[in-house]
Amino acid sequence: MSLSVRILGASGGIGPNRRTTSILIDEDILIDAGIGVGDLTLSELQKIRHVFLTHSHLDHIGFLPMLADMVYSPDSPPIQIHALPATLKALREHVFNWVIWPDFTCLPTPAQPILEFRPIGSEEQVTIGSREVRALPALHTVPTVGYGVIHHDGMGFAFTGDTTSSEALWDALNALPYLDLLMIESGLPDEMDSLADLSKHYTPHRLSDDLDALRHDPRIAITHLKPGHEMAIRQQLQQSQYASRMVLLEGAERFELHAQNRTLKAG
């Protein structure tokens, strides 16, 4: 058994060959619904049964309306949309409001809608087959969570969502039983630290410091690099003591996680 993690989008912006955040777990779980969702085939889209949203910003939810429009089948159950209550409220009021987009939580009928909203609290969990999806506390400019996906056979993936330094996040990551791959942002270069503080994003220096708190020893996938700053961020991350374990995501990467013997870092 393995846990499949397919990166559909990992950019902090748009442009040629850039897709905003979206991650496909196995074939049926989507974490965030950025531009990368648009690269899936119709058959792949129709296999998605659960969408876990980290927060309400457009680069993370922008293609959810189009997904809803594409996947209708009279024989299929609703797609479960899991998110914080504040995120679901934002979707109802500002997206699925019959002005920006039809309300697919009551179409084609209220009894059998295309989308079904499922509120989730920070550090709550949802079991889907052999996988457990845990909400992880994160710190951003709007209510935000990350997600840990644990396979019962002993594999683990975590995505922090958009976040800055948060002791609660690292405590939650350390509480995961397995962590083979950590996807975490470093959106702005060190010289933009003041802006990063205001917009609640990581810089390479802040991220490297915080990784010291992690007791697992995963591969580290860096996401959300802002266009125009990629080269500076890459160069600064290369100075990190964790550089040998880092991969800077460009989108279209696939990771197959397998159960293995592992140890926690000392300390």
Side-chain angles (χ1 to χ4, degrees):
M1 293 293 295
S2 66
L3 183 68
S4 174
V5 179
R6 179 179 172 186
I7 309 301
L8 305 176
S11 177
I14 62 172
N17 301 315
R18 294 185 177 101
R19 305 287 189 273
T20 60
T21 305
S22 44
I23 308 149
L24 188 64
I25 305 296
D26 296 330
E27 295 182 327
D28 58 332
I29 298 174
L30 186 68
I31 299 179
D32 280 343
I35 295 172
V37 175
D39 290 333
L40 293 175
T41 66
L42 180 58
S43 175
E44 290 171 328
L45 290 169
Q46 290 175 333
K47 292 177 182 177
I48 296 171
R49 305 315 318 156
H50 297 267
V51 179
F52 288 83
L53 299 175
T54 59
H55 64 295
S56 59
H57 282 165
L58 192 60
D59 54 333
H60 295 257
I61 60 97
F63 265 45
L64 180 61
M66 301 303 297
L67 169 65
D69 198 35
M70 293 291 292
V71 299
Y72 172 67
S73 171
D75 300 323
S76 296
I79 297 175
Q80 306 291 307
I81 310 299
H82 308 269
L84 292 172
T87 302
L88 297 178
K89 182 175 184 288
L91 290 174
R92 289 187 186 279
E93 293 181 356
H94 304 296
V95 179
F96 297 104
N97 60 3
W98 296 103
V99 177
I100 299 300
W101 208 247
D103 185 358
F104 282 101
T105 66
C106 62
L107 287 176
T109 69
Q112 187 70 17
I114 294 173
L115 304 180
E116 191 169 75
F117 286 178
R118 295 285 188 177
I120 187 171
S122 181
E123 302 188 70
E124 288 188 15
Q125 61 190 44
V126 177
T127 299
I128 303 170
S130 59
R131 299 145 307 174
E132 177 186 287
V133 183
R134 298 186 185 181
L136 307 173
L139 181 60
H140 195 39
T141 57
V142 294
T144 304
V145 289
Y147 291 104
V149 183
I150 303 301
H151 194 287
H152 292 172
D153 284 344
M155 296 150 272
F157 162 73
F159 171 49
T160 66
D162 288 6
T163 190
T164 188
S165 297
S166 166
E167 184 176 344
L169 170 63
W170 296 99
D171 288 345
L173 289 170
N174 286 332
L176 296 175
Y178 316 106
L179 185 56
D180 303 289
L181 177 65
L182 171 63
M183 183 173 170
I184 190 166
E185 68 135 292
S186 184
L188 292 168
D190 289 333
E191 58 268 25
M192 300 180 71
D193 188 73
S194 294
L195 179 58
D197 188 51
L198 288 172
S199 58
K200 298 295 185 290
H201 286 292
Y202 265 118
T203 60
H205 181 75
R206 288 188 186 207
L207 175 59
S208 184
D209 283 350
D210 279 9
L211 282 168
D212 289 341
L214 185 63
R215 298 188 62 233
H216 295 283
D217 197 27
R219 192 171 187 188
I220 302 166
I222 305 296
T223 184
H224 212 273
L225 281 70
K226 288 293 185 180
H229 301 290
E230 293 103 331
M231 184 174 295
I233 295 170
R234 285 176 180 273
Q235 292 173 346
Q236 290 162 7
L237 287 171
Q238 287 172 359
Q239 308 305 311
S240 168
Q241 62 177 313
Y242 301 100
S244 63
R245 287 164 42 202
M246 289 180 177
V247 54
L248 274 66
L249 298 173
E250 296 182 356
E253 293 89 353
R254 293 174 184 253
F255 301 89
E256 295 293 329
L257 308 184
H258 301 273
Q260 55 187 310
N261 293 325
R262 53 175 71 78
T263 58
L264 294 176
K265 284 165 47 177

